[in-house]
C-alpha cells in the first residue's frame, strides 16, 4: 500500500524558514518524480514544486521560486521542501504527491499524503 | 501562471448528469492534452479521477468522464450519487515543467 506521510509543519515568523518532510512507502521511491502542492484551508489547490525521480531536476511555481527548494534522499525514501523568506501568503496545508510516471514526470498525481500545516504569522 | 477558471459551485439531483468546466489559456489547457481532475472530500486528500484529459485510473467509476475543446476542459459526472458531493479540481500542464490548478468547484448533490 502506497503511503505518504508529511511532517514539519509549524508556526514561523514572516521572513523565517521551515523544512517540510515526506516519508514514502509502498512503492519504489527512486522510480518516481514527486510534487509538492499546497492548499489554503477552504480554498483551491496550488502546485508548488516538482523533483524528478533521480533528483537531477526541479521546478517551482513563480510564487515560490527563489525562496523554496525541493530535495530528496533515496536512502531514507524521503522528500523535502525547504521554505525560506516565508510570507503570510505561504500559510497553507502542504501535500506531497507521487507522480504516476515511471522515471519520467507524467504530471498526474496518483497518491497524496494527508498534508502538514505551515502557518506564517508574527 | 494564472489559474484556469472553474465555476465556484454546481449542483444536481441524484441520477442526473453535471459538467464542470475548466477554462484555461493557450499556455496551458489549450496547448497540452495533459489535464487531470481531482476529487476532494472535506478534510481529505485529493484523489485522481481523470488524467490525460479523458483517461480514468483503475478503480475510478466510469460515471466520471473528461473531455477538452480548445482552451476548455470539462469533467462530466453521470448518474449523480450522494457520495459524489465533493470539491473537484482541474490541473493542467503549463509548460517548462510547471503545472497549474483551477480554483476548484464545489459539487452539491441535492
Amino acid at each position: 500500500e502506497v503511503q505518504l506521510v508529511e511532517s514539519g509543519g509549524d508556526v514561523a515568523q514572516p521572513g523565517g524558514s521551515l523544512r517540510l518532510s515526506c516519508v514514502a512507502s509502498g512503492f519504489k521511491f527512486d522510480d518516481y518524480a514527486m510534487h509538492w502542492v499546497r492548499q489554503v484551508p477552504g480554498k483551491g489547490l496550488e502546485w508548488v514544486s516538482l523533483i524528478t525521480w533521480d533528483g537531477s531536476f526541479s521546478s517551482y511555481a513563480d510564487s515560490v521560486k527563489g525562496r523554496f527548494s525541493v530535495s530528496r534522499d533515496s536512502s531514507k525514501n524521503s522528500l523535502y521542501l525547504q521554505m525560506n523568506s516565508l510570507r503570510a501568503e505561504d500559510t497553507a496545508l502542504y501535500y506531497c504527491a507521487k507522480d504516476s510516471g515511471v522515471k519520467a514526470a507524467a504530471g498526474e498525481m496518483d497518491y497524496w499524503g494527508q498534508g502538514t500545516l505551515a502557518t506564517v504569522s508574527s | 501562471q494564472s489559474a484556469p477558471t472553474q465555476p465556484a459551485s454546481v449542483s444536481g439531483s441524484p441520477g442526473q448528469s453535471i459538467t464542470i468546466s475548466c477554462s484555461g489559456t493557450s499556455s496551458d489547457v489549450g496547448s497540452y492534452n495533459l489535464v487531470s481532475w481531482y476529487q476532494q472530500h472535506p478534510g481529505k486528500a485529493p484523489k485522481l479521477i481523470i488524467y490525460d484529459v479523458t483517461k480514468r485510473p483503475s478503480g475510478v467509476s466510469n460515471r466520471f468522464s473528461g473531455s477538452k475543446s480548445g482552451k476548455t476542459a470539462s469533467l462530466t459526472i453521470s448518474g449523480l450519487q450522494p457520495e459524489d458531493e465533493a470539491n473537484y479540481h482541474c490541473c493542467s500542464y503549463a509548460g517548462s515543467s510547471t503545472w497549474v490548478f483551477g480554483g476548484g468547484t464545489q459539487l452539491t448533490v441535492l
Side-chain angles (χ1 to χ4, degrees):
Chain A
E1 179 194 6
V2 172
Q3 283 198 317
L4 298 168
V5 180
E6 302 94 336
S7 62
D10 203 344
V11 179
Q13 292 196 333
S17 299
L18 282 174
R19 188 191 194 213
L20 307 184
S21 300
C22 170
V23 177
S25 61
F27 67 101
K28 195 172 187 299
F29 183 68
D30 291 354
D31 278 356
Y32 295 91
M34 297 292 293
H35 301 262
W36 285 100
V37 177
R38 68 185 181 184
Q39 184 174 36
V40 174
K43 302 296 184 183
L45 300 169
E46 181 185 12
W47 177 81
V48 172
S49 181
L50 162 85
I51 186 167
T52 51
W53 60 278
D54 59 354
S56 64
F57 177 82
S58 58
S59 56
Y60 302 90
D62 286 345
S63 58
V64 307
K65 198 175 296 182
R67 301 187 299 121
F68 289 13
S69 177
V70 62
S71 61
R72 63 192 295 162
D73 184 342
S74 60
S75 69
K76 297 181 180 179
N77 276 8
S78 292
L79 173 72
Y80 305 101
L81 186 67
Q82 179 66 43
M83 306 162 61
N84 297 331
S85 303
L86 284 165
R87 305 168 180 166
E89 54 265 35
D90 295 321
T91 295
L93 186 65
Y94 284 76
Y95 293 101
C96 67
K98 170 186 166 293
D99 192 278
S100 69
V102 178
K103 293 192 171 157
E108 59 268 9
M109 299 152 215
D110 57 356
Y111 290 93
W112 297 62
Q114 289 303 309
T116 187
L117 182 63
T119 302
V120 183
S121 173
S122 54
Chain B
Q1 288 181 347
S2 57
T5 301
Q6 296 183 234
S9 63
V10 298
S11 62
S13 300
Q16 287 187 330
S17 295
I18 63 94
T19 296
I20 299 171
S21 60
C22 172
S23 297
T25 69
S26 56
S27 298
D28 43 61
V29 177
S31 288
Y32 308 98
N33 288 324
L34 295 173
V35 176
S36 52
W37 289 89
Y38 299 85
Q39 177 192 62
Q40 186 180 30
H41 288 105
K44 300 295 187 181
K47 173 188 174 184
L48 178 67
I49 56 173
I50 294 287
Y51 67 99
D52 291 353
V53 178
T54 62
K55 299 176 182 176
R56 273 189 316 274
S58 174
V60 172
S61 172
N62 59 9
R63 297 186 299 104
F64 295 91
S65 62
S67 62
K68 192 186 90 165
S69 178
K71 303 173 192 175
T72 300
S74 298
L75 171 71
T76 298
I77 309 174
S78 59
L80 268 180
Q81 297 182 0
E83 58 264 33
D84 298 333
E85 185 161 297
N87 280 288
Y88 291 85
H89 308 269
C90 67
C91 180
S92 175
Y93 182 63
S96 301
S97 298
T98 66
W99 284 262
V100 61
F101 281 93
T105 297
Q106 169 66 52
L107 168 63
T108 300
V109 180
L110 302 170

